[in-house]
Amino acid sequence: MSTVHIEADEKDIAKKVLMPGDPNRATFIAEKYLENPRLVNKLRGELAYTGTYKGVPVTVFSSGMGIASMGIYSHELFDHYNVDEIIRIGTAGSYDANLKVYDLLVADSAYSDTHFDEDSGREDITIINSSSKLNGVIMNTARIKGIKATIGRVHTSDAFYTESKDFSRFKALGCKAVEMETYALLYNAKKYYKKATSILTISDNLVTHEEIDPLEREQKLDQMILLALESIIKN
């Protein structure tokens, strides 16, 4: 049964979902990594492909940008499509000079001062934990594969362009990097008793001002993608 935002039938969405923000990245992942990928959603321009990875059904579904968009799609996937787990794969800006571009950050929690929590579920929560079990699988897989990954808290912001350049208060709250979707994903996972986390590639460092270009953000994130795929099929 389709929803307001997803046209796929329930049988067309796997129980394990990877969520990049960018529809182009979803296409790239499906064509490069999935066996027999099928386009199962193109409604509103958010693309979803279902195929298998090493024999395990996986859906790659673009979330769009920001808390609102992630909130809609993760809600519908958990609630209407009965998805068991979602790993967001995306990019983040580092608050730590030692967390450099192309480094991987696994979110053990997300902080946000958004009103999404109160509007969506009438709860006032500023910090939400991700799935410790899923994170354990990811970190163990990273160790086995020789992939360097750091685990820590992310700051989920409502705004990409901000006037303030002072991020000291977010660092004081334990945040290692900033992005725009993880909080909504973790909130909905908590609401529906599902598993979720984020694996993020550092695309720019807000201390050293290093950054990667837009095309690399779309196509040169293979370590993150492989880590997510290898982890989600084991959990």
Side-chain angles (χ1 to χ4, degrees), residues 102-113:
Y102 291 113
D103 284 353
L104 299 185
L105 177 64
V106 179
D108 65 4
S109 56
Y111 163 83
S112 186
D113 55 7

Side-chain angles (χ1 to χ4, degrees), residues 67-228:
I67 285 176
S69 189
M70 172 60 86
I72 289 169
Y73 287 104
S74 59
H75 171 102
E76 293 184 5
L77 289 171
F78 285 140
D79 186 35
H80 298 280
Y81 289 88
N82 200 28
V83 166
D84 292 329
E85 55 194 84
I86 296 175
I87 297 179
R88 160 165 152 68
I89 46 176
T91 55
S94 175
Y95 287 150
D96 184 343
N98 295 316
L99 198 57
K100 303 181 183 301
V101 294
Y102 291 113
D103 284 353
L104 299 185
L105 177 64
V106 179
D108 65 4
S109 56
Y111 163 83
S112 186
D113 55 7
T114 179
H115 289 293
F116 175 85
D117 50 345
E118 295 164 284
D119 292 340
S120 170
R122 303 303 175 192
E123 291 184 275
D124 185 7
I125 305 172
T126 55
I127 296 173
I128 302 179
N129 293 331
S130 57
S131 168
S132 58
K133 182 179 180 182
L134 189 49
N135 286 341
V137 172
I138 292 169
M139 296 305 290
N140 188 53
T141 301
R143 180 184 59 80
I144 291 169
K145 297 291 184 182
I147 298 172
K148 181 185 175 184
T150 299
I151 192 161
R153 179 171 298 158
V154 299
H155 166 211
T156 301
S157 174
D158 280 317
F160 184 85
Y161 296 106
T162 60
E163 295 298 320
S164 174
K165 302 302 180 184
D166 180 12
F167 45 82
S168 58
R169 74 181 182 96
F170 304 120
K171 288 187 69 175
L173 290 164
C175 300
K176 293 183 177 294
V178 60
E179 50 83 74
M180 298 188 70
E181 290 83 28
T182 296
Y183 179 93
L185 172 61
L186 300 188
Y187 184 92
N188 283 335
K190 175 181 180 292
K191 183 177 180 179
Y192 291 106
Y193 303 98
K194 306 288 188 169
K195 289 179 282 190
T197 193
S198 291
I199 305 175
L200 304 165
T201 298
I202 299 303
S203 58
D204 55 306
N205 188 297
L206 301 177
V207 180
T208 65
H209 305 295
E210 297 174 280
E211 61 182 3
I212 59 179
D213 70 37
L215 184 60
E216 289 175 324
R217 286 176 187 248
E218 181 181 318
Q219 295 186 351
K220 291 191 176 180
L221 306 174
D222 294 271
Q223 275 202 329
M224 173 181 67
I225 296 164
L226 283 169
L227 179 56

